[in-house]
Amino acid sequence: MTVKFEDENEVLAVVRASMGRRILGLVSLGFLGVLLIYVAFANPPSIGWQFFLILVGGASLWCTQVMRKSTSSWVELTPKELRDGDGTVIARIEDIQTMDRGFFAFKPSNGFLLKTNVVQSRVWRPGLWWRMGRRIGIGGMTPGSQTKYMSEILSALINMRDPHH
């Protein structure tokens, strides 16, 4: 059974970061970075440990900025592709082999895992999605209701493409 969509760019589902989780995650990670750097200067341990604390604190602040930027975007599902709000194609529907929403799957919180038949570049949008080779994780700081809805629509698209799948 093949279903034709009038508009191949029609957005079927959207996943956005939850504001509460986003604030909690950003404040926690930022506070960790500031605290580590404060400890490194306020009560300096040996030079090696001081360097380590400053390095990890700086990395934490950098991750806070990357997460802030990535969670301000969203993930869209169209009949042809899964894409980021900035237009980055995460995966084409025709390339998706399997989807795992199971309890023990190595997936983001409140999300799902996809496996494609195409190896792609590594991308990490903390709190929203990641891609490593053939595996893609959608979720993190996202509400479970949105990712569940998206995974259901995606499952239907995969089944329409390959009914014996």
Side-chain angles (χ1 to χ4, degrees):
M1 177 174 144
T2 304
V3 175
K4 290 285 185 186
F5 290 89
E6 287 183 29
D7 181 8
E8 295 293 334
N9 287 317
E10 175 185 1
V11 177
L12 304 175
V14 176
V15 172
R16 295 180 190 276
S18 163
M19 189 54 72
R21 287 188 183 129
R22 185 171 185 229
I23 290 170
L24 182 64
L26 293 173
V27 168
S28 299
L29 199 54
F31 180 72
L32 175 65
V34 169
L35 185 65
L36 289 172
I37 292 171
Y38 172 76
V39 168
F41 289 109
N43 189 11
S46 67
I47 191 71
W49 281 111
Q50 186 176 26
F51 177 74
F52 175 76
L53 289 172
I54 293 169
L55 183 71
V56 174
S60 180
L61 292 175
W62 175 78
C63 283
T64 303
Q65 173 59 16
V66 171
M67 185 182 290
R68 185 195 62 77
K69 185 177 178 194
S70 71
T71 56
S72 66
S73 189
W74 57 90
V75 177
E76 296 178 336
L77 175 65
T78 69
K80 288 286 185 194
E81 63 193 14
L82 192 61
R83 65 184 179 214
D84 193 304
D86 67 4
T88 303
V89 175
I90 300 170
R92 295 183 326 191
I93 303 303
E94 65 192 40
D95 295 335
I96 297 173
Q97 283 182 329
T98 61
M99 177 173 34
D100 192 354
R101 300 176 276 191
F103 186 72
F104 295 107
F106 178 69
K107 63 181 179 59
S109 173
N110 289 328
F112 54 92
L113 182 68
L114 300 172
K115 187 175 179 184
T116 64
N117 54 19
V118 177
V119 177
Q120 298 183 48
S121 62
R122 290 183 181 191
V123 181
W124 180 47
R125 303 283 167 88
L128 201 56
W129 65 274
W130 54 262
R131 179 176 62 210
M132 290 185 353
R134 295 176 42 187
R135 300 200 184 282
I136 299 167
I138 306 291
M141 292 185 171
T142 57
S145 59
Q146 290 179 6
T147 53
K148 182 173 170 106
Y149 178 73
M150 180 177 278
S151 69
E152 293 292 331
I153 300 293
L154 188 55
S155 180
L157 289 173
I158 293 168
N159 287 333
M160 285 189 307
R161 178 197 73 205
D162 184 11
H164 304 295
H165 192 252

